[in-house]
Amino acid sequence: GGGMGMGGMGGGAGLEGRDWDEYRVASMEPGDVGLTLDCSGGKGALTKTLRRAGARDDFENPSDRWEAVLRLSGAVAGGGAPFDSFEGCVTMGEGRLSAWLDKAVRTMKRGEASAFTVLPAARDGEALLSVRREGGPSAEGLPAEAVLEYEVELRELREVQVLCDGLLLQKTLVRAPKGPGSWELPGERAEVRCSWRGEVEATGFVFRGEAPFRYSRADASLLRVWRELKMKRGEVAELKVAPELAYG
């Protein structure tokens, strides 16, 4: 594993198999502030009211393995005192989020703040109310008919790409600056300048300190990891590299 920044080098908006209602609730814009939309396939069990739209130039919603930095608070509808709060980072799809919250966060964009109304049907008997952690609240202490109101902010979102059948995980720490050519990946014969450091994940042993590195993607002797990267100019990423792609 290690981190690197590219000097020579995602997801995107689109229906991508979703119906229009799913796309609409996941693509809310500044003009939609105050608008309430359904997140539960027309059942009305989970609704979202936009408080603050995400960044105008950011079209990505969280996917499995992506890291989401959340801040949330929850209360029983009707003026009850907040009984649930959380601030921290979770990995999507790993089971730390309740089913309704996982669905809700996947409709959000970086920087967005939204209110969610959660009917009992959205919880579907699940004991986990929001984020699984020590001391977190449980639905077992709530009346079965309780309606919940949650304020959720997606403070940061870090994309994680699974490459080479899982042999390479690429987590974007700093995204490529917007501008002409910002979505372009290096070509097959590109000359690339970067800097990187490496450490052994199991022991923390640093086998290479931060240092510049320059290579040609056409070089037959190049380690496979350098060809498999999906980085763009100006990005900084953390990589988890299986031995098959590196020195193993």
Side-chain angles (χ1 to χ4, degrees):
M4 65 174 295
M6 279 288 179
M9 311 259 151
L15 288 175
E16 298 172 349
R18 298 179 288 186
D19 65 30
W20 171 250
D21 290 337
E22 291 174 325
Y23 174 75
R24 182 71 178 89
V25 76
S27 307
M28 299 178 80
E29 300 177 347
D32 296 322
V33 170
L35 181 65
T36 298
L37 294 176
D38 184 20
C39 301
S40 56
K43 300 175 183 177
L46 177 64
T47 58
K48 166 183 172 178
T49 302
L50 185 67
R51 302 289 199 211
R52 183 185 69 239
R56 284 181 178 271
D57 61 350
D58 198 335
F59 306 104
E60 297 170 331
N61 304 114
S63 297
D64 281 350
R65 292 183 181 263
W66 290 29
E67 292 185 354
V69 179
L70 303 175
R71 179 165 63 184
L72 63 81
S73 64
V76 176
F83 66 91
D84 187 9
S85 63
F86 173 80
E87 186 168 350
C89 182
V90 297
T91 299
M92 301 299 297
E94 284 198 344
R96 283 193 67 196
L97 301 185
S98 63
W100 78 261
L101 183 56
D102 182 271
K103 181 180 295 185
V105 171
R106 290 174 191 262
T107 73
M108 301 180 73
K109 294 186 288 187
R110 180 186 283 104
E112 180 181 316
S114 289
F116 292 90
T117 299
V118 190
L119 273 59
R123 304 198 303 272
D124 194 27
E126 186 180 20
L128 178 63
L129 270 185
S130 60
V131 183
R132 180 170 285 109
R133 77 271 192 196
E134 187 174 351
S138 167
E140 294 175 353
L142 287 174
E145 69 279 6
V147 176
L148 307 181
E149 293 179 341
Y150 271 80
E151 298 284 341
V152 182
E153 179 183 4
L154 180 54
R155 308 189 74 185
E156 184 55 75
L157 183 61
R158 293 187 280 267
E159 178 184 5
V160 177
Q161 297 187 64
V162 181
L163 306 171
C164 301
D165 296 323
L167 296 178
L168 174 60
L169 301 182
Q170 176 181 311
K171 178 168 67 178
T172 300
L173 302 179
V174 177
R175 295 178 299 157
K178 303 295 183 182
S182 62
W183 295 102
E184 294 179 1
L185 295 171
E188 288 300 316
R189 306 188 68 81
E191 298 286 334
V192 179
R193 290 179 292 109
C194 66
S195 62
W196 68 281
R197 69 182 295 276
E199 67 178 55
V200 179
E201 184 178 31
T203 64
F205 171 70
V206 177
F207 61 86
R208 175 189 165 100
E210 184 80 25
F213 179 52
R214 184 169 184 167
Y215 64 91
S216 169
R217 297 189 76 238
D219 182 354
S221 65
L222 190 66
L223 290 176
R224 185 181 167 195
V225 60
W226 302 113
R227 292 197 185 88
E228 301 293 347
L229 288 179
K230 304 297 182 184
M231 293 183 69
K232 297 177 283 290
R233 185 190 305 271
E235 281 190 341
V236 178
E238 179 182 281
L239 311 176
K240 288 190 177 181
V241 185
E244 295 94 319
L245 301 187
Y247 301 104

